[in-house]
């Protein structure tokens, strides 16, 4: 198994801790002044994605030690283990092969001695045929009308990827079709999603890896009832208006969906890594099979870069290491992800599951409590909106918030000066964060007295800038894979399992216990703590009298 030393005993870790003490006071102004080429040197490009990491509080020595840490942590071995289908998800005894979802037809990736790539392509072909059929109007609803509305029902990884991708690629989507996404068990989500839809023209995709998730199954039942009500209660109608994406054929059949209309995937695809599996069916229906393949190709290009590039030129590795630097040595608690591309408005929400469900762990692979911090909190909003909201804290607050700025050379919808203005803001923000404004500069601008400290920007706020040509399906794939592998890098160094999610189970189990206590006619005997008991009693009184 694992022969590496505990993280805090590794030589590079200790050296980084000592090194941090030496350089923590060093300002980005000094680092840039000492090296006029720093802004050109500390950059790397792969598969058309450019990363400028020069505005980070790192020196050559920091990078050397971080790279050494990656080496001492066995990162190379772990990457190889993932790509070759080893069961690296130890607690669930599963391989972790989202990279197989975007592997070319000719690739060979074995799980339990069986090449999984042909199955991946068989499902892709089936999805493609189905998508063409629906988009071309050949697939008719129960009353003979063509499908105009697609509603994806799913939650977590079975929702966030599809919504994010739909929003990100809306520019390329069929504008004569309506796409909606229902996730929350709060009934208003479903009611609002279908309020203006005609059931005769609506297709539901029930997306659930397990096909047991409470929220999804509750919404799917309500969708079936809504459909049957709208189509005069004809049960036969379900077949023309429901398809499923799942790994669980038995449950799909039990729900009443013909398994011929089921699109499968496999237990070696984690929910939060599944947007490029059949879970992406809504994406394919929106943008078409060809563009979906381009998305996969983008993922694959970044996979290959991650798998083969030396660590010092490896985008995901560098981003993962830099994030560890702030998280574990500067006590930074969060990372802000700031896309300057409105189509990426759901990208931060998508990343929240990817990063925090993966690396929000408190024990090592060997089950020992970690004595260091694991995943930071990822959050964000598109720029420039965030600038008029929370950026105040990033510029002048007391917390260190490393930022990822994401921008594109070309707008998808060019409009007058808009794009230049947008991009000027990206560059201005990273410059302002890094270099700030001194009290001397503030005074020279005419401010005096009390106003001076209020107008000082300390600077030394770190950021990455990620720049690509334009937001195409291919580039979206590269971007998502970049973060997937950055998360992998972090998890490998922290020696945790990024691929399970036991932390979601307790709340689920307790909700199952509380549900009958809310719904029972007779007054239930409550045995929770006094707060929970009291809240349940109060809710019952307000709703049942
Ligand atoms: O509860 C968390 C979770 O298991 C996620 O990991 C997953 O993406 C989501 O629920 C949905 O699960 P499923 O696709 O099985 O409905």
């Amino acid at each position: 198994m694992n022969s590496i030393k505990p993280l805090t005993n590794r030589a590079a870790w200790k050296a980084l801790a000592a090194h941090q003490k030496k350089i923590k006071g060093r300002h980005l102004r000094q680092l840039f002044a000492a090296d006029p080429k720093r802004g050109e040197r500390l950059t790397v490009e792969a598969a058309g994605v450019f990363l400028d990491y020069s505005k980070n509080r790192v020196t050559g020595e920091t990078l050397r030690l971080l790279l050494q840490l990656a080496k001492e942590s066995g990162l190379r071995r772990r990457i190889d283990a993932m790509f070759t289908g080893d069961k690296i998800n130890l607690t669930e005894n599963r391989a972790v092969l989202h990279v197989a979802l975007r592997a070319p037809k000719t690739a060979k990736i074995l799980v339990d001695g069986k090449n999984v790539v042909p199955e991946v392509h068989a499902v892709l072909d089936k999805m493609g045929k189905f998508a063409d059929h629906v988009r071309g109007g050949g697939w008719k609803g129960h009353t003979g009308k063509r499908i105009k509305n697609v509603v994806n029902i799913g939650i977590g990884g079975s929702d966030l990827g599809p919504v994010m991708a739909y929003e990100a690629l809306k520019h390329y989507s069929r504008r004569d079709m309506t796409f909606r996404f229902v996730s929350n068990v709060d009934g208003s989500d479903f009611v609002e999603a279908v309020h203006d839809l005609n059931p005769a023209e609506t297709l539901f995709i029930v997306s659930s890896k397990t096909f047991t998730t409470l929220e999804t199954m509750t919404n799917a039942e309500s969708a079936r009832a809504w459909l049957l009500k709208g189509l005069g209660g004809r049960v036969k109608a379900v077949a023309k208006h429901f398809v499923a994406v799942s790994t669980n054929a038995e449950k799909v059949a039990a729900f009443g969906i013909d398994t011929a209309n089921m699109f499968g995937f496999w237990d070696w695809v984690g929910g939060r890594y599944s947007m490029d599996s059949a879970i992406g069916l809504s994406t394919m229906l929106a943008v078409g099979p060809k563009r979906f393949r381009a998305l996969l190709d983008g993922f694959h290009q970044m996979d290959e870069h991650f798998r083969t590039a030396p660590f010092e030129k490896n985008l995901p590795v560098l981003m993962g290491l830099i994030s560890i630097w702030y998280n574990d040595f500067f006590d930074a608690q969060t990372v802000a992800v700031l896309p300057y591309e409105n189509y990426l408005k759901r990208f931060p929400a998508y990343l929240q599951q990817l990063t925090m469900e993966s690396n929000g762990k408190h024990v090592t692979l060997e089950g020992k409590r970690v004595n260091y911090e694991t995943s930071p909190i990822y959050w964000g909003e598109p720029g420039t909106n965030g600038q008029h909201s929370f950026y105040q804290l990033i510029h002048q607050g007391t917390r260190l918030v490393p930022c990822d700025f994401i921008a594109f050379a070309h707008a998808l919808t060019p409009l007058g000066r808009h794009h230049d203005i947008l991009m000027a803001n990206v560059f201005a923000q990273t410059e302002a964060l890094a270099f700030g404004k001194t009290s001397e500069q503030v005074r020279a601008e005419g401010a005096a007295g009390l106003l001076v400290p209020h107008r000082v920007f300390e600077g030394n706020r770190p950021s990455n800038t990620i720049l690509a040509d334009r937001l195409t399906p291919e580039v979206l794939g590269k971007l998502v894979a970049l973060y997937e592998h950055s998360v992998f890098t972090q998890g490998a160094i922290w020696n945790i399992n990024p691929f399970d999610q036991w932390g979601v189970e307790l709340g689920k189990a307790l909700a199952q216990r509380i549900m009958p206590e809310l719904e029972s006619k007779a007054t239930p005997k409550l045995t929770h703590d006094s707060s929970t008991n009291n809240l349940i009693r109060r809710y019952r009184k307000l709703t049942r009298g």
Side-chain angles (χ1 to χ4, degrees):
M1 284 239 303
N2 220 347
S3 57
I4 49 166
K5 281 189 184 161
L7 180 54
T8 50
N9 292 349
R10 286 173 222 160
W13 184 272
K14 289 184 186 164
L16 279 162
H19 170 70
Q20 192 273 348
K21 287 202 178 78
K22 264 201 241 150
I23 71 142
K24 68 176 180 215
R26 215 168 292 171
H27 201 287
L28 280 165
R29 286 179 206 132
Q30 297 167 300
L31 294 174
F32 271 83
D35 175 6
K37 290 239 182 270
R38 180 181 170 95
E40 289 156 50
R41 228 170 29 79
L42 298 191
T43 63
V44 54
E45 186 167 6
V49 179
F50 177 80
L51 170 69
D52 174 352
Y53 60 100
S54 64
K55 293 191 184 92
N56 280 294
R57 292 168 66 172
V58 296
T59 64
E61 178 66 356
T62 321
L63 292 167
R64 191 187 67 74
L65 290 173
L66 286 169
L67 291 164
Q68 190 189 321
L69 180 66
K71 214 168 156 201
E72 284 177 19
S73 305
L75 179 60
R76 171 64 60 208
R77 186 173 43 79
R78 289 194 196 240
I79 294 173
D80 292 344
M82 173 168 73
F83 277 85
T84 47
D86 285 5
K87 297 198 171 165
I88 60 170
N89 177 356
L90 294 181
T91 59
E92 295 179 316
N93 192 30
R94 289 176 183 165
V96 174
L97 273 179
H98 40 281
V99 293
L101 298 170
R102 50 262 192 160
K105 245 186 189 143
T106 47
K108 203 171 166 193
I109 302 174
L110 303 181
V111 176
D112 293 327
K114 185 176 163 215
N115 184 10
V116 297
V117 177
E119 281 180 68
V120 167
H121 282 269
V123 173
L124 277 172
D125 291 343
K126 181 173 169 183
M127 287 166 68
K129 268 194 200 124
F130 176 73
D132 282 338
H133 203 192
V134 173
R135 285 162 62 89
W139 177 286
K140 302 274 193 288
H142 181 67
T143 64
K145 291 197 164 174
R146 68 184 286 169
I147 297 297
K148 287 199 182 142
N149 317 309
V150 174
V151 182
N152 185 74
I153 298 179
I155 198 164
S158 301
D159 167 70
L160 288 162
V163 190
M164 182 278 287
Y166 171 68
E167 291 294 343
L169 302 178
K170 200 182 223 166
H171 176 74
Y172 307 92
S173 74
R174 279 285 289 264
R175 297 304 176 115
D176 58 348
M177 291 175 75
T178 298
F179 291 85
R180 301 262 164 87
F181 299 85
V182 176
S183 53
N184 203 330
V185 77
D186 181 339
S188 59
D189 201 13
F190 178 76
V191 171
E192 287 296 336
V194 299
H195 84 280
D196 56 349
L197 303 185
N198 177 355
E201 300 174 336
T202 302
L203 175 77
F204 290 98
I205 306 175
V206 184
S207 298
S208 174
K209 181 173 171 183
T210 54
F211 232 71
T212 56
T213 304
L214 175 69
E215 290 89 339
T216 302
M217 297 331 292
T218 307
N219 278 318
E221 296 286 355
S222 297
R224 185 165 52 187
W226 175 84
L227 182 96
L228 292 181
K229 189 167 170 229
L231 297 182
R234 280 160 294 191
V235 178
K236 256 177 68 193
V238 171
K240 293 285 171 200
H241 294 269
F242 276 81
V243 297
V245 178
S246 187
T247 56
N248 193 340
E250 227 170 86
K251 295 270 182 206
V252 169
F255 180 84
I257 297 177
D258 185 348
T259 46
N261 298 329
M262 169 182 155
F263 300 85
F265 60 116
W266 307 271
D267 72 354
W268 40 261
V269 183
R272 53 196 173 273
Y273 297 87
S274 67
M275 63 170 274
D276 46 351
S277 71
I279 289 290
L281 186 61
S282 58
T283 316
M284 194 190 264
L285 283 162
V287 303
K290 221 172 131 198
R291 291 201 179 95
F292 193 80
R293 297 269 184 176
L295 173 82
L296 298 185
D297 183 48
F299 269 103
H300 180 64
Q301 287 179 52
M302 191 53 77
D303 293 344
E304 282 305 282
H305 166 72
F306 179 56
R307 190 176 67 82
T308 60
F311 289 167
E312 66 277 11
K313 292 200 177 113
N314 196 310
L315 260 79
V317 170
L318 287 169
M319 278 184 62
L321 290 174
I322 288 169
S323 162
I324 285 185
W325 177 231
Y326 297 121
N327 187 66
D328 292 292
F329 298 95
F330 280 83
D331 293 332
Q333 290 168 352
T334 80
V335 176
V337 181
L338 309 165
Y340 278 65
E341 168 55 86
N342 218 50
Y343 287 115
L344 284 180
K345 62 181 171 210
R346 296 285 298 186
F347 194 59
Y350 171 77
L351 283 187
Q352 285 178 357
Q353 187 196 15
L354 178 67
T355 57
M356 297 194 272
E357 202 175 65
S358 293
N359 283 339
K361 307 290 162 65
H362 72 302
V363 294
T364 63
L365 286 171
E366 295 79 23
K368 295 222 168 70
R369 180 74 165 83
V370 296
N371 58 347
Y372 41 86
E373 298 295 342
T374 59
S375 181
I377 297 154
Y378 281 76
W379 60 289
E381 275 290 318
T384 58
N385 293 4
Q387 290 175 208
H388 299 271
S389 158
F390 53 80
Y391 278 38
Q392 165 65 37
L393 180 149
I394 307 181
H395 282 287
Q396 282 192 318
T398 53
R399 294 182 186 280
L400 182 72
V401 183
C403 300
D404 288 351
F405 286 82
I406 303 172
F408 301 89
H410 295 98
L412 294 180
T413 47
L415 180 64
R417 297 176 60 219
H418 284 248
H419 198 65
D420 285 342
I421 295 173
L422 180 73
M423 292 302 290
N425 275 279
V426 179
F427 303 142
Q429 287 300 324
T430 67
E431 187 178 15
L433 286 168
F435 302 102
K437 195 194 265 189
T438 62
S439 53
E440 292 74 36
Q441 288 172 303
V442 172
R443 276 198 204 88
E445 284 172 3
L450 175 67
L451 219 49
V452 174
H454 288 274
R455 297 187 61 164
V456 163
F457 288 71
E458 289 174 343
N460 218 12
R461 265 79 168 158
S463 66
N464 289 314
T465 304
I466 298 165
L467 197 58
D469 184 48
R470 73 182 76 225
L471 182 58
T472 58
E474 190 182 318
V475 167
L476 180 67
K478 292 174 191 175
L479 203 56
V480 175
L482 169 61
Y483 277 94
E484 284 178 349
H485 298 319
S486 162
V487 164
F488 181 91
T489 299
Q490 294 171 41
I493 304 229
W494 290 320
N495 189 31
I496 57 179
N497 182 2
F499 302 109
D500 60 12
Q501 56 284 319
W502 300 107
V504 302
E505 296 303 328
L506 179 58
K508 284 185 192 173
L510 291 179
Q512 290 291 353
R513 179 177 156 202
I514 292 174
M515 265 180 287
E517 294 173 345
L518 301 185
E519 290 175 329
S520 80
K521 285 220 168 60
T523 304
K525 191 172 173 312
L526 300 175
T527 54
H528 304 273
D529 59 278
S530 61
S531 161
T532 310
N533 286 345
N534 193 37
L535 289 166
I536 293 172
R537 267 188 235 111
R538 195 173 178 85
Y539 175 78
R540 283 186 61 93
K541 193 157 169 237
L542 289 169
T543 57
R544 270 96 180 148

